Every structure is written in structure tokens, then in C-alpha cells.
């Protein structure tokens, strides 16, 4: 089977967000069937995020999705920086 797709690093370097997301989606789809359980969890999470971003591009909600992802990431990092969290404040 011949693979005529552009190599992933070249697609990413091209700067086209949609093309980059689609290339990442394809790469994850290629790796997922042979992934170990732990790796499959991470790949599946990334795939879900990529699919959400692609859908947002189609509906014009890209900024909302990106902003939401940034807020989630910041919240996770804040929680990691304060391992006691709210429970430690009692």
C-alpha cells in the first residue's frame, strides 16, 4: 500500500491549522490500533481534542474551544502546583 501523504513534520511546519489537525488525526488513527493500554488512553484523549478542534473550525467556534482548552490546562496546572487543593485548606 502506497502512502502519498506529506510527512507530518512538513505538514505541521506549513502552518495550516486544519491540515495540521487532519494530519495529527491520521497519525493518531494509524498508531491507536497497536498502542499499549496506557499509550492508547493518551492517544484517545488527544484524538478527542483534535476532533473537537476540527469541528469547531467547521462551526466557527475555534476561539471558544481553544480558550476552553487553555482554561482547563491552567486549572490542571494550578491543581498540580497545590497538591493539597481545597482539602488542604480545612
Amino acid at each position: 500500500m502506497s502512502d502519498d501523504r506529506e510527512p507530518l513534520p512538513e505538514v505541521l511546519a506549513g502552518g495550516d491549522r486544519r491540515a495540521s489537525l487532519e494530519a495529527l488525526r491520521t497519525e493518531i488513527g494509524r498508531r491507536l490500533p497497536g498502542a499499549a493500554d496506557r499509550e492508547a488512553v493518551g492517544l484517545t484523549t488527544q484524538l478527542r481534542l483534535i476532533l473537537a478542534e476540527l469541528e469547531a473550525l467547521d462551526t466557527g467556534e475555534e476561539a471558544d474551544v481553544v480558550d476552553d482548552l487553555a482554561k482547563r490546562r491552567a486549572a490542571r496546572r494550578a491543581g498540580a502546583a497545590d497538591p493539597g487543593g481545597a482539602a488542604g485548606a480545612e
Side-chain angles (χ1 to χ4, degrees), residues 10 21 44 51 62 83:
E10 291 178 22
L21 289 168
T44 301
L51 293 173
E62 177 187 6

Side-chain angles (χ1 to χ4, degrees), residues 20-82:
S20 295
L21 289 168
E22 289 172 350
L24 287 168
R25 177 189 62 195
T26 300
E27 180 67 17
I28 290 173
R30 186 185 66 74
R31 290 181 176 205
L32 197 54
D37 289 345
R38 186 177 197 121
E39 183 183 16
V41 170
L43 289 172
T44 301
T45 300
Q46 291 303 313
L47 182 58
R48 291 178 60 212
L49 293 171
I50 290 167
L51 293 173
E53 285 191 56
L54 283 168
E55 184 176 336
L57 287 175
D58 292 338
T59 62
E61 298 175 4
E62 177 187 6
D64 292 339
V65 171
V66 173
D67 290 343
D68 185 47
L69 293 174
K71 287 176 188 174
R72 287 188 202 172
R73 185 177 299 122
R76 275 197 313 271
R77 287 182 179 162
D82 181 19

Side-chain angles (χ1 to χ4, degrees), residues 85-90:
E90 293 179 37

